Amino acid sequence: MVSVIGLGYIGLPTAVLLAQNGTSVIGIDITQHVVDSVNAGKLHIVEPGLDSALKYVVEKSCLRATNIPEPADAFIIAVPTPFTTGHKPDVSYIGDAVKALAPVLKKGNLVILESTSPVGTTERLSAWLAAARPDLSFPQQAGDDADVQIAHCPERVLPGKVLRELVSNDRVVGGMSAKASKMATELYRIFVKGDIVTTTTRTAEMCKLTENSFRDVNIAFANELSIICDKLNIDVWELIHLANRHPRVNVLQPGCGVGGHCIAVDPWFIVDSVPNEARLIRNAREINDHKSEWVLEKIKRTITDILTQKHGSTLSDIKVACLGLAFKPDIDDLRESPAIVIAQSIAKLGCQVLAVEPNIESLPEKLSRSNVALVQIEDALANADIICVLVKHSIFIKNKNIIGHKHIIDTVGLIGGFMQ
Ligand code: SAJ
């Protein structure tokens, strides 16, 4: 029996895959609505392919959910680790999970932390458990002979491809003892087809943070290039396309900022641990956050130009189309989306916002203002004074009507002087 604590974007598909592969799984979540929907075989998140898989394992009684942990052979903790003000990591959900599971721990158990965590968190988790259960021994006390083994195994799957990547990606397992690594490897072998490599808990924690910081730094390079090119009157998309013809160059794509709940968060965990040393990583974060402000300034300048030309017009007469609200192409996930922040700021200026997001059916609360409307792309193109392309959804790429509008601010290279 495996218990998965936290039935969100990572915990739920992990629970489903374990169940699909013959393991009896109990899912734990503090939110009643999550527990109820899982038990009803209904998905409370959006992830391709997961709905039918969930329905199947719940119907077969291989997976059930509850709010309170029960005894199991292994526990996988997959709870959020956001940051608080000042970009400080918030590991309180891990602390809560530890408190909840400590009473049901027994000799022979394995506890795996999957949540992206600052370096040293797995050791802290083990210390918390040891304090809560002095009757059991843990790896920091007894190594391979400990009653309860502890490991870190960070998730590294791409939203939208979670089910496929959970199976095919390699996994890094950091055990607090050799036995912990071995036990965790055996557990992931149940559904992982990629390699499973073992290391220390601290290296495994840093590995996850490194992966997302690597991407953030590389996106920051592309975003900085886009601002430089704008100043030098060079088409950044053509430039990147040409530079990438070099066999050892692979510049990523600029955008309207970096969103999502991982890349824009995890690098801060490194900066928080070693603020004096993590200079490039901090800089990259700041460059990517600044990109949205830069885009907004560009939009404001265009609005001012239009108002100067149209005598007697006011901000409320200007219609700004925002193409895309999601945090990246072809998903419906609006969490931590820079496009939402930009649309919100335009709305606050007093302009009319024509939001186009083909992947959602209603506007999020943040945008439910009288001057924001969710419209079809045709309406936006026909009525807007300014078109801002914020997300490169496939459906926009195919729309030839976008080209040729008088005022286009294309942050993602959808159109412009150079078409790839
Ligand atoms: N972005 C750009 N330019 C690019 C690529 C991405 O501006 O060339 C932007 C996207 O538009 C988005 C943000 O970056 O706003 C993040 O998107 P993403 O596709 O790079 O990453 P996520 O956040 O969906 O998932 C990442 C992945 N990490 C890496 O690729 C190293 C995923 O494998 C991790 O599991 C996930 O974070 C996580 O959970 O940590």
Side-chain angles (χ1 to χ4, degrees):
M1 162 82 82
V2 175
S3 176
V4 178
I5 303 177
L7 295 175
Y9 281 83
I10 300 301
L12 186 55
T14 302
V16 167
L17 278 175
L18 281 165
Q20 258 184 343
N21 285 278
T23 308
S24 209
V25 183
I26 173 157
I28 314 292
D29 205 287
I30 50 169
T31 311
Q32 188 61 44
H33 130 82
V34 170
V35 170
D36 293 342
S37 66
V38 169
N39 283 333
K42 290 204 179 102
L43 206 54
H44 68 96
I45 51 172
V46 176
E47 184 56 46
L50 189 57
D51 44 358
S52 53
L54 172 68
K55 195 164 177 282
Y56 177 80
V57 293
V58 171
E59 274 170 11
K60 292 256 167 215
S61 304
C62 301
L63 168 66
R64 77 184 159 87
T66 176
N67 319 87
I68 301 158
E70 295 173 16
D73 299 308
F75 296 85
I76 296 177
I77 301 175
V79 295
T81 43
F83 60 52
T84 54
T85 36
H87 302 122
K88 290 231 152 279
D90 172 7
V91 295
S92 61
Y93 293 101
I94 299 177
D96 293 345
V98 163
K99 267 189 221 132
L101 80 85
V104 299
L105 272 189
K106 57 182 181 358
K107 197 171 172 181
N109 276 170
L110 168 69
V111 178
I112 300 173
L113 176 65
E114 274 214 16
S115 312
T116 304
S117 300
V119 172
T121 308
T122 313
E123 290 163 350
R124 283 175 76 192
L125 174 151
S126 198
W128 291 333
L129 284 173
R133 292 296 302 269
D135 55 317
L136 294 170
S137 64
F138 291 82
Q140 66 273 29
Q141 302 151 332
D144 279 353
D145 296 327
D147 293 334
V148 177
Q149 290 297 341
I150 311 278
H152 179 56
C153 179
E155 62 81 15
R156 44 181 19 180
V157 289
L158 202 68
K161 295 185 184 163
V162 169
L163 276 187
R164 192 173 355 130
E165 290 207 353
L166 270 178
V167 174
S168 60
N169 287 0
D170 294 347
R171 295 297 289 243
V172 175
V173 165
M176 279 189 61
S177 67
K179 189 168 172 198
S181 292
K182 188 166 175 284
M183 286 171 77
T185 302
E186 278 164 14
L187 195 150
Y188 284 104
R189 248 315 142 234
I190 294 173
F191 63 90
V192 171
K193 294 218 163 66
D195 291 341
I196 302 175
V197 280
T198 58
T199 179
T200 63
T201 53
R202 295 174 80 85
T203 307
E205 287 161 345
M206 189 61 181
C207 186
K208 166 70 190 198
L209 302 180
T210 300
E211 290 159 18
N212 281 354
S213 300
F214 172 85
R215 195 150 169 88
D216 199 41
V217 166
N218 280 281
I219 298 170
F221 181 72
N223 277 332
E224 182 161 294
L225 268 183
S226 71
I227 295 175
I228 293 170
C229 285
D230 188 72
K231 201 144 205 181
L232 298 180
N233 199 19
I234 290 169
D235 182 336
V236 70
W237 316 103
E238 181 187 10
L239 173 81
I240 290 172
H241 183 71
L242 297 179
N244 284 349
R245 293 177 81 99
H246 184 289
R248 284 172 298 282
V249 172
N250 183 17
V251 182
L252 295 182
Q253 299 297 300
C256 69
V258 168
H261 19 281
C262 312
I263 307 247
V265 175
D266 303 352
W268 288 118
F269 291 6
I270 300 181
V271 175
D272 182 67
S273 303
V274 280
N276 296 328
E277 289 76 16
R279 293 185 299 163
L280 175 65
I281 296 171
R282 179 205 299 271
N283 234 317
R285 262 301 57 247
E286 287 168 353
I287 288 168
N288 284 335
D289 279 349
H290 167 71
K291 183 66 195 285
S292 315
E293 293 161 28
W294 183 86
V295 169
L296 189 62
E297 282 310 312
K298 219 174 159 54
I299 297 168
K300 282 187 191 164
R301 279 201 301 277
T302 312
I303 293 171
T304 309
D305 288 349
I306 295 175
L307 286 178
T308 319
Q309 285 157 20
K310 284 189 181 175
H311 293 293
S313 291
T314 64
L315 281 167
S316 62
D317 298 317
I318 306 287
K319 295 192 179 98
V320 183
C322 291
L323 302 196
L325 295 176
F327 89 81
K328 65 177 191 175
D330 299 329
I331 58 166
D332 68 339
D333 195 338
L334 307 181
R335 292 175 304 162
E336 322 299 332
S337 169
I340 293 269
V341 176
I342 292 169
Q344 230 182 345
S345 305
I346 303 169
K348 279 192 191 142
L349 290 175
C351 299
Q352 296 177 52
V353 175
L354 307 177
V356 182
E357 179 43 79
N359 301 301
I360 60 170
E361 268 150 30
S362 60
L363 283 172
E365 191 139 320
K366 281 180 183 170
L367 288 179
S368 49
R369 298 168 58 111
S370 58
N371 59 338
V372 185
L374 184 64
V375 302
Q376 299 294 320
I377 185 151
E378 289 71 25
D379 295 347
L381 296 178
N383 296 310
D385 299 293
I386 303 171
I387 307 274
C388 304
V389 190
L390 301 176
V391 187
K392 201 172 182 176
H393 287 314
S394 316
I395 197 161
F396 297 157
I397 299 174
K398 291 173 200 139
N399 195 318
K400 299 269 181 287
N401 296 333
I402 300 174
I403 310 167
H405 194 279
K406 208 164 155 207
H407 298 287
I408 305 180
I409 295 166
D410 180 11
T411 70
V412 294
L414 186 76
I415 38 120
F418 178 75
M419 299 279 286
Q420 284 187 40

